C-alpha cells in the first residue's frame, strides 16, 4: 500500500498505487532482501475507479522489477 502524505496535517493521506506515493519501495525491497526475507508480498489497493485489474497488474509488474 502506498499513499501521499497531505501538506495540511488535518487532512487524511491519499491512497495511490505502489510506487506513486511516499513509500520508498526500492529501499523497502532492498531491506527485505538484506534480512533474507523470501516470503510473500501482498498488494493492497482499495481504489475502484477505472480498470482496477489493469492497475493491479501495473503495480505487480513494478514490484517484480524491484524484486528481480
Amino acid at each position: 500500500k502506498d499513499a501521499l502524505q497531505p501538506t495540511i496535517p488535518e487532512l487524511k493521506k491519499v491512497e495511490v498505487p505502489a510506487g506513486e506515493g511516499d513509500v520508498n519501495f526500492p529501499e523497502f525491497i532492498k531491506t527485505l532482501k538484506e534480512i533474507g526475507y523470501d516470503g510473500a508480498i501482498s498488494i493492497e489497493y482499495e481504489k475502484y475507479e477505472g480498470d482496477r485489474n489493469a492497475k493491479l497488474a501495473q503495480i505487480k509488474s513494478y514490484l517484480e522489477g524491484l524484486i528481480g
Side-chain angles (χ1 to χ4, degrees):
K1 193 168 194 173
D2 205 350
L4 293 169
Q5 190 70 22
T7 56
I8 301 170
E10 294 80 27
L11 297 178
K12 290 184 176 184
K13 295 177 184 175
V14 176
E15 182 183 349
V16 295
E20 296 180 17
D22 294 330
V23 176
N24 185 340
F25 277 94
E27 188 63 30
F28 177 72
I29 298 298
K30 177 182 169 209
T31 300
L32 289 177
K33 288 179 177 182
E34 287 174 355
I35 64 170
Y37 181 80
D38 64 353
I41 295 176
S42 63
I43 298 169
E44 185 174 346
Y45 183 65
E46 299 168 355
K47 292 197 172 198
Y48 293 99
E49 70 263 357
D51 187 344
R52 186 167 182 262
N53 287 334
K55 185 52 80 171
L56 286 168
Q58 178 185 350
I59 295 167
K60 179 179 180 271
S61 177
Y62 168 70
L63 292 173
E64 287 175 335
L66 294 176
I67 294 167

